[in-house]
Amino acid sequence: MPPADLHARSSHGIWPYLALTAGILCISWSAIFVRWTDIPGVASAFYRVLIPALILLPTALFDRRSPRVNLRTLAIIAVGGFFFAADLALYNTAILRTSAANATLLGNNTPIVVGLLTWLAFGRRPKPAFWIGLVLALAGALVIVWSDLARHLQLGSGDLMSLGAAACFAVYLMATERVRGTTGTLAFLRLAMIASVLFLLAMNLVMGVSLTIPPGRTIGGLLGLGLVSQLGGYLALTYALGHLPATVTSVSLLVQGPLTAILAAWLLGEPLTGALILGGALVLLGVGLANRDRPPAEEVNATLCEAVEPQEVETV
């Protein structure tokens, strides 16, 4: 990618941060919407991606003016779609087995995996400020879940599923950052959603989970998941990932924890304890510090572009 193009991609000012903020707000409602459904977590995950996939399908008509998506890029998107499907299946099930705040915070340990993968795969070690901010953010997460761990003495199945979701989401973020420099926001999101729909459909069929939607609040919960948390949230998040490093984005997503805890206290009656308030403050402090000394977006995109060799292959 020419230096001029890299500069154009990194000169959007505040817009990527506004998009990231909007995405976090939308995604923070995920746990609430899942609790408002009366179907298994794997099934609600399927509808969460099916709804936006159907809405995004017509956008393929506008791809003629967008950069072509070659088979290599499509394969990376498919891998990301698989891990995103696994993330949603684990996370939605975890929400039904533990508190909404607990599942969200443990599910957002993604920065640990992202930081290690960017270091090991690309040799791009985050700056010291990132690690300090990460430690503060994770310390806040530990403070929030401490009371739960003290009561149960050991991690339950919901907690383990949340940690597994964090690892899967990290791979999705890495795949997104790898191809977003050469793929339009709508094109990427549409292809990723289609891949996730297919994988989640296969998961439900293999597990024998019914996809029947019961009457009542489940419909509203699924619409909220599909339209607000998925379509709105990840449309904004995918745009932000095109201009900000995955390390910064993943740490910022930790803000979901305090926001979800507040929403859960208000709408689900979950207690808003002193540990939640203290932990939330530490998380926000860590996020601010990590964003203060972020790696320049042009350096990140340049590294990824150098790893991608030009190919003349069939386009989609």
Side-chain angles (χ1 to χ4, degrees):
M1 183 177 294
D5 292 341
L6 290 175
H7 176 73
R9 289 185 57 75
S10 61
S11 62
H12 288 71
I14 197 173
W15 289 108
Y17 290 98
L18 291 177
L20 181 60
T21 300
I24 291 172
L25 289 173
C26 291
I27 297 171
S28 296
W29 280 84
S30 298
I32 309 301
F33 291 137
V34 171
R35 283 286 187 88
W36 285 347
T37 64
D38 296 314
I39 57 179
V42 181
S44 63
F46 169 75
Y47 286 110
R48 171 172 175 166
V49 291
L50 176 64
I51 294 172
L54 293 176
I55 294 175
L56 290 172
L57 274 178
T59 63
L61 298 175
F62 303 98
D63 282 355
R64 295 178 180 178
R65 298 183 179 180
S66 301
R68 292 182 175 183
V69 179
N70 59 40
L71 293 180
R72 185 174 186 275
T73 299
L74 186 62
I76 295 175
I77 292 175
V79 171
F82 169 78
F83 280 98
F84 185 67
D87 163 50
L88 290 183
L90 290 170
Y91 177 66
N92 283 18
T93 304
I95 291 172
L96 301 177
R97 299 189 180 189
T98 186
S99 68
N102 202 43
T104 302
L105 287 162
L106 290 176
N108 278 284
N109 279 304
T110 299
I112 296 177
V113 186
V114 170
L116 291 176
L117 286 179
T118 53
W119 185 9
L120 296 176
F122 304 118
R124 192 177 70 241
R125 183 175 182 176
K127 295 183 179 180
F130 169 83
W131 295 109
I132 297 173
L134 178 59
V135 169
L136 288 174
L138 292 178
L142 289 176
V143 169
I144 293 175
V145 302
W146 177 254
S147 59
D148 182 68
L149 298 180
R151 286 196 303 269
H152 297 287
L153 300 179
Q154 60 181 358
L155 292 176
S157 60
D159 300 314
L160 292 176
M161 288 181 177
S162 299
L163 292 173
C168 291
F169 190 62
V171 179
Y172 167 76
L173 286 178
M174 295 297 297
T176 299
E177 186 182 33
R178 185 68 180 269
V179 300
R180 276 292 290 114
T182 56
T183 309
T185 298
L186 286 177
F188 171 84
L189 198 59
R190 182 182 66 253
L191 293 172
M193 289 304 97
I194 292 174
S196 297
V197 166
L198 295 177
F199 286 124
L200 280 167
L201 177 61
M203 290 179 193
N204 280 277
L205 292 177
V206 170
M207 297 173 63
V209 176
S210 174
L211 293 175
T212 302
I213 301 176
R217 66 178 186 177
T218 297
I219 296 178
L222 293 177
L223 288 175
L225 277 174
L227 298 177
V228 178
S229 297
Q230 192 59 46
L231 183 60
Y234 280 87
L235 188 62
L237 179 60
T238 301
Y239 172 81
L241 280 168
H243 307 285
L244 300 173
T247 47
V248 171
T249 308
S250 59
V251 172
S252 300
L253 286 171
L254 284 172
V255 177
Q256 290 179 72
L259 290 178
T260 298
I262 293 173
L263 290 172
W266 174 34
L267 300 171
L268 302 178
E270 293 185 1
L272 186 60
T273 63
L276 284 174
I277 297 174
L278 174 61
L282 288 174
V283 168
L284 293 176
L285 178 62
V287 169
L289 183 59
N291 276 303
R292 180 182 179 183
D293 197 18
R294 65 184 179 87
E298 57 268 26
E299 292 182 9
V300 175
N301 289 326
T303 301
L304 297 180
C305 289
E306 291 174 359
V308 180
E309 297 180 358
Q311 299 181 10
E312 293 295 332
V313 293
E314 181 182 354
T315 58
V316 185

